[in-house]
Amino acid sequence: MAKTAKAKAPTDVADLTKAQAKVEHKRLALEIENHNKLYYQEDAPRISDAEYDALRQRFDAIEARFPEFVTSESPSQKVGAAPSGRFKKVRHALPMLSLDNAFAEQDVLEFAGRIRRFLKLGDDDKIDFSAEPKIDGLSMSLRYEGGELVTAATRGNGAEGEDVTANIRTLEDVPNKLKGRNVPEICEVRGEVYMTKHAFLALNERQKAAGDTIFANPRNSAAGSLRQKDPSITASRPLGFFAYAWGEMSAMPEATQSGMIGWFQRCGFKTNPLTRLCHSLEQLVAFHRKIEEQRAELDYDIDGVVYKVDRIDWQERLGFVSRTPRWAIAHKFPAERAMTVLRDIEIQVGRTGSFTPVGKLEPVGVGGVIVQNVTLHNEDYIKGIGGDGEQLRDGRDIRIGDAVVVQRAGDVIPQVVDVILDKRPKNTKPFQFPKKCPCPLHTDVVREETATGEEGARARCTGEFACPYQKVEHLKLFASRRAFDIDGLGEKQIEFFFEQGWVKEPADIFTLEARNNKIKLEEIEGYGQTSVRNLFDAIRRRREIALERFIFALGMRHVGETTALALARGSGSWKSFHDGALKVAKGDEDAIAEMDALDQIGDTVIKGVAAYFGESHNRGVVERLTKEVTILDAEKPKSNSAVAGKTVVFTGALEQMTRDEAKATAERLGAKASGSVSKKTDYVVAGPGAGSKLAEAKKHGVPVLSEDDWLKLIGE
Ligand code: IVH
């Protein structure tokens, strides 16, 4: 980011040096992301479409000239970001969910076991599965009314997607009118839009020549092609569609998944030709193996296979666990690997001072994305003497200049899994792990303690809050979405404000506006009157903050979001938490016991709280901060269902549902289903044959409901 230079007329992209282009690419990425957020999440655009398009054009031109700047994080690649044009939102009649993953055969076995238990099937009852390739594209919901295509919507967040009907109409694989007589009045056909691998390569060639968006993989290029304002552009991009699922249907034409696939074909859709009906676990595993063998030869990317219970009545009974169906699973393929060269090793210092060595690679494509950074975990991993590193590399160390094999498994961060010694350049030396922090203080480094107090593998800077790296990392966490959630104060801005000395600790964020007559933020490149006003508005909005966010934002070691919530709910108010924490830091045994008694809180967290409040520097930071903000008392868990937060015990025979189904429903509504009755139980739901639990309920005065009472209570 240009530091203090004033805005001037932009240089032609063709005349930028690589260093200038890199700086501008970063700045534009931030700006575009910010506008996308304003537009999509807040429905509050601050610039016109034309201004937005101009930003995008310049950004795309830079990426076209320097394709090495393109990463999967770039706004040009984001499915949720518009390459050009913006779309209306559509609420899905039924949510679009995702799939749980299986990696090993054991996971598939357990998946089938869960289904068997849930449906109470005997060992001899057969379950048929539809086995399908898992296409790595974008899911799409196509709504037909009276046989005519009326809306095509992207998945979006699952509940609400974007209306891309005009663009979808240009796809050959999507019929505008369903074929066949007697199609149900309402049909939502769901499936995957994808681009073939060869079309993707050809498209990137053309894009580069025209100075347009370069895509990182076929999936991103399919997304980019769909999100065009001008449908004729989508029409010029070769997109395919496979139908494999449905949403709202006014009537079901078939009783099985495989039947539905046949029906999609009869309506005029393409379905994946590799789809098979499997009758046993052995057949599923064989299907997985066979498709994996064919994977490289297929002209579209797949990242696994999907198994779905074939009988739709069973699918309905099995239902969903949070956002994934119980009746389907994605069996992923093992990680893909590629060879490249390790150019450098950099040390990143985290918020708590811990070091992460990051390998800088010669960029390489692995499993559809370009990888250029890889975590090297810790010193032992680099030496080849720790954990996975040891197993995979047989004790070989990793050196700068080495030829390395990089692996990427699903969404997992890429790893170095092998070092090719034959290719090791002659003059390499083992990597010397730093003994001093790379921060200007050069503070000593120690091995971090594990939760059990032993020496861990990670190195830490001992500078604590004197270490500027840790301070800045803490500020980033403080302003982040999960903590204070201050719009317009992302990581880059924090770094910049910190370097300038304007924000050195959290309280400074809230005094920024009052100091701005000296700082004059509006005169800095990338900031105008409006964005400065927006930033100050955003900061002002966060002067009131929920207790759990406040506790999380302090950045105590071992206090993540969940723990912060537990501490907040357990303490109720900031005053009560703060008083307790100060006492805990002094070793007050009653206070420690009190914190220990809170739900989900144990020794490690207490140590983190004590260490934090034991430091006078931190106490000062907290004191100055609490002068600037109002901390709201903790909220009770809320949900609008009648049984949210209640504990329920099911006993006896249930007639309208299985026990597992009943428990799953209770949990979905925010209740806790328990196996035994105590005075904490809120309801016992008893069917015929209920025994000792009924007696227990009477003993504790717990209300007893019939199955019908229960269904009435939950409104089903
Ligand atoms: S079924 C309720 N079948 O995978 C589950 N999904 O991780 C509905 N996908 O969002 C999805 N091929 O985009 C299903 N044969 C297939 C699929 C498939 C690819 C994608 C889809 C979905 C994601 C879930």
PDB file of all heavy atoms in Angstrom, residues 97-99 132-135 139 155 192 244 306 308 325, ligand 1:
ATOM      1  N   LEU A  97     -28.226 -27.458   0.663  1.00  0.00           N
ATOM      2  CA  LEU A  97     -27.320 -27.864   1.738  1.00  0.00           C
ATOM      3  C   LEU A  97     -26.015 -28.391   1.177  1.00  0.00           C
ATOM      4  O   LEU A  97     -25.819 -28.474  -0.032  1.00  0.00           O
ATOM      5  CB  LEU A  97     -28.028 -28.916   2.583  1.00  0.00           C
ATOM      6  CG  LEU A  97     -29.297 -28.322   3.177  1.00  0.00           C
ATOM      7  CD1 LEU A  97     -30.363 -29.361   3.306  1.00  0.00           C
ATOM      8  CD2 LEU A  97     -29.013 -27.644   4.489  1.00  0.00           C
ATOM      9  N   SER A  98     -25.114 -28.754   2.074  1.00  0.00           N
ATOM     10  CA  SER A  98     -23.870 -29.340   1.591  1.00  0.00           C
ATOM     11  C   SER A  98     -23.743 -30.769   2.088  1.00  0.00           C
ATOM     12  O   SER A  98     -24.661 -31.297   2.711  1.00  0.00           O
ATOM     13  CB  SER A  98     -22.684 -28.489   2.000  1.00  0.00           C
ATOM     14  OG  SER A  98     -22.765 -28.241   3.367  1.00  0.00           O
ATOM     15  N   LEU A  99     -22.631 -31.391   1.788  1.00  0.00           N
ATOM     16  CA  LEU A  99     -22.466 -32.810   2.109  1.00  0.00           C
ATOM     17  C   LEU A  99     -21.376 -33.002   3.140  1.00  0.00           C
ATOM     18  O   LEU A  99     -20.382 -32.271   3.155  1.00  0.00           O
ATOM     19  CB  LEU A  99     -22.066 -33.577   0.843  1.00  0.00           C
ATOM     20  CG  LEU A  99     -23.103 -33.654  -0.271  1.00  0.00           C
ATOM     21  CD1 LEU A  99     -22.466 -34.174  -1.553  1.00  0.00           C
ATOM     22  CD2 LEU A  99     -24.243 -34.572   0.148  1.00  0.00           C
ATOM     23  N   GLU A 132     -22.486 -41.380  -7.464  1.00  0.00           N
ATOM     24  CA  GLU A 132     -22.328 -40.376  -8.521  1.00  0.00           C
ATOM     25  C   GLU A 132     -20.989 -39.665  -8.373  1.00  0.00           C
ATOM     26  O   GLU A 132     -20.533 -39.462  -7.252  1.00  0.00           O
ATOM     27  CB  GLU A 132     -23.447 -39.317  -8.387  1.00  0.00           C
ATOM     28  CG  GLU A 132     -24.822 -39.925  -8.186  1.00  0.00           C
ATOM     29  CD  GLU A 132     -25.894 -38.911  -7.760  1.00  0.00           C
ATOM     30  OE1 GLU A 132     -25.593 -37.707  -7.681  1.00  0.00           O
ATOM     31  OE2 GLU A 132     -27.026 -39.356  -7.507  1.00  0.00           O
ATOM     32  N   PRO A 133     -20.374 -39.254  -9.482  1.00  0.00           N
ATOM     33  CA  PRO A 133     -19.160 -38.438  -9.349  1.00  0.00           C
ATOM     34  C   PRO A 133     -19.514 -37.116  -8.683  1.00  0.00           C
ATOM     35  O   PRO A 133     -20.627 -36.612  -8.868  1.00  0.00           O
ATOM     36  CB  PRO A 133     -18.721 -38.199 -10.794  1.00  0.00           C
ATOM     37  CG  PRO A 133     -19.414 -39.238 -11.587  1.00  0.00           C
ATOM     38  CD  PRO A 133     -20.693 -39.535 -10.873  1.00  0.00           C
ATOM     39  N   LYS A 134     -18.603 -36.576  -7.901  1.00  0.00           N
ATOM     40  CA  LYS A 134     -18.851 -35.276  -7.282  1.00  0.00           C
ATOM     41  C   LYS A 134     -18.176 -34.216  -8.152  1.00  0.00           C
ATOM     42  O   LYS A 134     -16.952 -34.076  -8.149  1.00  0.00           O
ATOM     43  CB  LYS A 134     -18.290 -35.240  -5.859  1.00  0.00           C
ATOM     44  CG  LYS A 134     -18.615 -33.947  -5.151  1.00  0.00           C
ATOM     45  CD  LYS A 134     -18.307 -34.054  -3.671  1.00  0.00           C
ATOM     46  CE  LYS A 134     -18.781 -32.836  -2.905  1.00  0.00           C
ATOM     47  NZ  LYS A 134     -18.104 -31.612  -3.268  1.00  0.00           N
ATOM     48  N   ILE A 135     -18.995 -33.509  -8.897  1.00  0.00           N
ATOM     49  CA  ILE A 135     -18.485 -32.531  -9.862  1.00  0.00           C
ATOM     50  C   ILE A 135     -18.026 -31.282  -9.112  1.00  0.00           C
ATOM     51  O   ILE A 135     -18.730 -30.786  -8.238  1.00  0.00           O
ATOM     52  CB  ILE A 135     -19.608 -32.101 -10.849  1.00  0.00           C
ATOM     53  CG1 ILE A 135     -20.447 -33.304 -11.293  1.00  0.00           C
ATOM     54  CG2 ILE A 135     -19.042 -31.336 -12.031  1.00  0.00           C
ATOM     55  CD1 ILE A 135     -19.717 -34.314 -12.073  1.00  0.00           C
ATOM     56  N   SER A 139     -23.210 -25.292  -7.625  1.00  0.00           N
ATOM     57  CA  SER A 139     -24.547 -25.860  -7.641  1.00  0.00           C
ATOM     58  C   SER A 139     -25.569 -24.797  -8.007  1.00  0.00           C
ATOM     59  O   SER A 139     -25.376 -23.607  -7.758  1.00  0.00           O
ATOM     60  CB  SER A 139     -24.881 -26.561  -6.344  1.00  0.00           C
ATOM     61  OG  SER A 139     -24.529 -25.758  -5.274  1.00  0.00           O
ATOM     62  N   ARG A 155     -26.267 -21.148  -5.379  1.00  0.00           N
ATOM     63  CA  ARG A 155     -26.470 -21.626  -4.018  1.00  0.00           C
ATOM     64  C   ARG A 155     -26.413 -20.479  -3.015  1.00  0.00           C
ATOM     65  O   ARG A 155     -27.180 -20.443  -2.066  1.00  0.00           O
ATOM     66  CB  ARG A 155     -25.393 -22.668  -3.695  1.00  0.00           C
ATOM     67  CG  ARG A 155     -25.444 -23.179  -2.289  1.00  0.00           C
ATOM     68  CD  ARG A 155     -24.439 -24.316  -2.124  1.00  0.00           C
ATOM     69  NE  ARG A 155     -24.572 -24.913  -0.827  1.00  0.00           N
ATOM     70  CZ  ARG A 155     -24.017 -24.440   0.272  1.00  0.00           C
ATOM     71  NH1 ARG A 155     -23.274 -23.364   0.213  1.00  0.00           N
ATOM     72  NH2 ARG A 155     -24.193 -25.048   1.424  1.00  0.00           N
ATOM     73  N   GLU A 192     -25.183 -29.309 -11.083  1.00  0.00           N
ATOM     74  CA  GLU A 192     -23.902 -28.603 -11.077  1.00  0.00           C
ATOM     75  C   GLU A 192     -23.601 -27.989 -12.440  1.00  0.00           C
ATOM     76  O   GLU A 192     -23.674 -28.653 -13.459  1.00  0.00           O
ATOM     77  CB  GLU A 192     -22.824 -29.635 -10.724  1.00  0.00           C
ATOM     78  CG  GLU A 192     -21.582 -29.068 -10.140  1.00  0.00           C
ATOM     79  CD  GLU A 192     -21.681 -28.837  -8.631  1.00  0.00           C
ATOM     80  OE1 GLU A 192     -22.776 -29.016  -8.037  1.00  0.00           O
ATOM     81  OE2 GLU A 192     -20.647 -28.452  -8.069  1.00  0.00           O
ATOM     82  N   TYR A 244     -28.741 -33.611 -10.659  1.00  0.00           N
ATOM     83  CA  TYR A 244     -28.578 -34.729  -9.722  1.00  0.00           C
ATOM     84  C   TYR A 244     -29.458 -34.636  -8.475  1.00  0.00           C
ATOM     85  O   TYR A 244     -29.406 -35.493  -7.607  1.00  0.00           O
ATOM     86  CB  TYR A 244     -27.111 -34.904  -9.321  1.00  0.00           C
ATOM     87  CG  TYR A 244     -26.458 -33.661  -8.754  1.00  0.00           C
ATOM     88  CD1 TYR A 244     -26.913 -33.079  -7.580  1.00  0.00           C
ATOM     89  CD2 TYR A 244     -25.375 -33.070  -9.403  1.00  0.00           C
ATOM     90  CE1 TYR A 244     -26.324 -31.944  -7.065  1.00  0.00           C
ATOM     91  CE2 TYR A 244     -24.780 -31.925  -8.891  1.00  0.00           C
ATOM     92  CZ  TYR A 244     -25.261 -31.368  -7.722  1.00  0.00           C
ATOM     93  OH  TYR A 244     -24.690 -30.235  -7.221  1.00  0.00           O
ATOM     94  N   VAL A 306     -20.194 -39.206  -4.685  1.00  0.00           N
ATOM     95  CA  VAL A 306     -21.256 -39.001  -3.691  1.00  0.00           C
ATOM     96  C   VAL A 306     -22.105 -40.258  -3.628  1.00  0.00           C
ATOM     97  O   VAL A 306     -22.448 -40.822  -4.665  1.00  0.00           O
ATOM     98  CB  VAL A 306     -22.168 -37.810  -4.093  1.00  0.00           C
ATOM     99  CG1 VAL A 306     -23.196 -37.525  -3.008  1.00  0.00           C
ATOM    100  CG2 VAL A 306     -21.349 -36.565  -4.389  1.00  0.00           C
ATOM    101  N   LYS A 308     -25.724 -41.744  -2.240  1.00  0.00           N
ATOM    102  CA  LYS A 308     -27.018 -41.293  -1.719  1.00  0.00           C
ATOM    103  C   LYS A 308     -27.938 -42.493  -1.521  1.00  0.00           C
ATOM    104  O   LYS A 308     -28.022 -43.341  -2.417  1.00  0.00           O
ATOM    105  CB  LYS A 308     -27.695 -40.349  -2.725  1.00  0.00           C
ATOM    106  CG  LYS A 308     -26.880 -39.116  -3.032  1.00  0.00           C
ATOM    107  CD  LYS A 308     -27.529 -38.289  -4.126  1.00  0.00           C
ATOM    108  CE  LYS A 308     -26.641 -37.108  -4.463  1.00  0.00           C
ATOM    109  NZ  LYS A 308     -27.109 -36.387  -5.647  1.00  0.00           N
ATOM    110  N   PRO A 325     -27.206 -33.717   4.809  1.00  0.00           N
ATOM    111  CA  PRO A 325     -28.169 -34.812   4.919  1.00  0.00           C
ATOM    112  C   PRO A 325     -27.533 -36.033   5.572  1.00  0.00           C
ATOM    113  O   PRO A 325     -26.348 -36.272   5.421  1.00  0.00           O
ATOM    114  CB  PRO A 325     -28.516 -35.131   3.463  1.00  0.00           C
ATOM    115  CG  PRO A 325     -27.403 -34.600   2.660  1.00  0.00           C
ATOM    116  CD  PRO A 325     -26.771 -33.485   3.434  1.00  0.00           C
TER     117      PRO A 325
HETATM  118  S1  IVH B   1     -26.065 -33.738  -3.768  1.00  0.00           S
HETATM  119  C1  IVH B   1     -28.177 -32.169   0.050  1.00  0.00           C
HETATM  120  N1  IVH B   1     -24.691 -34.724  -5.762  1.00  0.00           N
HETATM  121  O1  IVH B   1     -21.227 -30.878  -3.772  1.00  0.00           O
HETATM  122  C2  IVH B   1     -27.032 -32.458  -0.839  1.00  0.00           C
HETATM  123  N2  IVH B   1     -23.917 -32.697  -4.783  1.00  0.00           N
HETATM  124  O2  IVH B   1     -20.598 -30.629  -0.870  1.00  0.00           O
HETATM  125  C3  IVH B   1     -27.194 -31.951  -2.201  1.00  0.00           C
HETATM  126  N3  IVH B   1     -21.949 -31.752  -5.854  1.00  0.00           N
HETATM  127  O3  IVH B   1     -23.235 -28.114  -3.016  1.00  0.00           O
HETATM  128  C4  IVH B   1     -26.031 -32.162  -3.043  1.00  0.00           C
HETATM  129  N4  IVH B   1     -21.719 -33.296  -7.396  1.00  0.00           N
HETATM  130  O4  IVH B   1     -22.427 -28.382  -5.424  1.00  0.00           O
HETATM  131  C5  IVH B   1     -24.779 -33.734  -4.863  1.00  0.00           C
HETATM  132  N5  IVH B   1     -23.613 -35.697  -7.552  1.00  0.00           N
HETATM  133  C6  IVH B   1     -23.701 -34.722  -6.671  1.00  0.00           C
HETATM  134  C7  IVH B   1     -22.786 -33.641  -6.639  1.00  0.00           C
HETATM  135  C8  IVH B   1     -22.929 -32.652  -5.669  1.00  0.00           C
HETATM  136  C9  IVH B   1     -21.230 -32.168  -6.910  1.00  0.00           C
HETATM  137  C10 IVH B   1     -21.654 -30.543  -5.064  1.00  0.00           C
HETATM  138  C11 IVH B   1     -22.814 -29.605  -4.872  1.00  0.00           C
HETATM  139  C12 IVH B   1     -22.972 -29.437  -3.399  1.00  0.00           C
HETATM  140  C13 IVH B   1     -21.644 -29.880  -2.888  1.00  0.00           C
HETATM  141  C14 IVH B   1     -21.805 -30.445  -1.496  1.00  0.00           C
END
